[in-house]
Amino acid sequence: MTIPDLSRRGALMGLGVAAATIAVPAIPARPTGAPSRQKPPRLRRGDVLGLVAPAGFIGDRFGLEEIEEAVRAMGLEPRAAPHMLDREGYLAGSDKDRAGDLMAMFADDEVRAIMAVRGGWGCARILPWLDFDAMARTPKLFAGFSDNTALHLAFAARTGVPSIHGPNASASWPPAAWESFRALAFDGATPTYAVPEHAGTYLGRRSERVRTFRGGKARGRLIGGNLTVLAALVGTPYLPDFSGAILFLEDTNEAEYRIDRMLTQLALAGILGKLAGVVFGQCTGCSNAEGGYSNFTIYEVLDRQFAGLGVPAFQGAQIGHIAGQVSMPVGVMAEIDADAGTISVLEPAVS
């Protein structure tokens, strides 16, 4: 992932040039035993949705107003974090303030759920400042994607409370994206996602199709998100146990060799060998990302990494840096069918 997540508000998401020095408090020991399986409450019309910027900045108050309009269109009442419009280089304020904003949303009894306004870079920097025990005591649904993968993984590791890997609040929210999020967050649905079937006037399809690396079905907890962010957390106390999990991945603007390198890192770290199954969604702009002809296509890279794992694995799900992405519940049980290219959620993400 070499650019922030895509949205029609991209003009508001420019990067700064100043580098920030990370200063972290002492990291608490990883809790012993299995994390809590408590689920956050579902959203209802009229609920307050807390808006946070745990990574990149959003630009100005006009961008925030546009985001708030989208939240109201969902039937929710937006509540922006105190430091929402702060900026420190390419970050939305200091690490401590961004972490404090997230903790404040968990402490606010009127806030029902929390959504990141955008990705970029910076979520991993705030992890040492978060009080995961307090979050587990007041579970709330968190939603976002891209760099927010760091928070999804940390929540899965340290609280066990499910979250939703889906559009950030600054997304364009086409009907497919909205309906997928609504079904999980409002209805507590257990949908089955399928790779879209070919439709249109062309006989040959070149993008939306199932690519099965190894067939079969598998069940396990859904864990994953952005590959770049996940790989960067290897060796930290913020990765959950991947034993028997269904790993879902996506990325954007990464050359084939970098995708290969990051997957190799996961293999060498023992993560890929623990999995029950793998789903790779979209790798937007990844093919020949650096120009010229590549020795391996992105599909060959994935095939070489996944086919030998001995577990069901496929590519093509609508997960990632695309406008119509589906929302994926993190931390709940699911079943995949790698031949059919489907992901069936087996339990609600919310109570």
Side-chain angles (χ1 to χ4, degrees), residues 66-120:
E66 189 176 3
I67 292 168
E68 290 175 334
E69 288 173 4
V71 173
R72 292 190 181 96
M74 299 176 189
L76 303 171
E77 181 61 33
R79 179 167 298 176
H83 298 93
M84 177 65 69
L85 296 179
D86 287 4
R87 177 178 175 182
E88 184 175 292
Y90 41 72
L91 302 169
S94 71
D95 297 338
K96 191 173 182 179
D97 285 343
R98 298 196 320 281
D101 279 356
L102 185 56
M103 292 307 307
M105 291 300 178
F106 275 91
D108 189 335
D109 292 337
E110 294 183 354
V111 172
R112 182 84 165 185
I114 304 162
M115 184 177 286
V117 295
R118 62 158 295 183

Side-chain angles (χ1 to χ4, degrees), residues 198-215:
H198 174 65
T201 59
Y202 298 98
L203 295 178
R205 55 184 180 178
R206 295 291 183 264
S207 57
E208 294 181 346
R209 56 167 296 174
V210 180
R211 292 177 173 86
T212 301
F213 307 115
R214 186 180 180 92

Side-chain angles (χ1 to χ4, degrees), residues 36 62 66 143 191 211 225 235 241 245 264 268 270 277 296 318 323 336 342-343 348 351:
S36 167
F62 300 106
E66 189 176 3
R211 292 177 173 86
D241 183 1
T264 298
L268 295 176
F296 292 117
Q318 298 298 93
I336 64 169
T342 58
I343 308 167
S351 60

Side-chain angles (χ1 to χ4, degrees), residues 334-347:
E335 179 178 272
I336 64 169
D337 184 330
D339 297 294
T342 58
I343 308 167
S344 298
V345 179
L346 301 179
E347 60 173 320

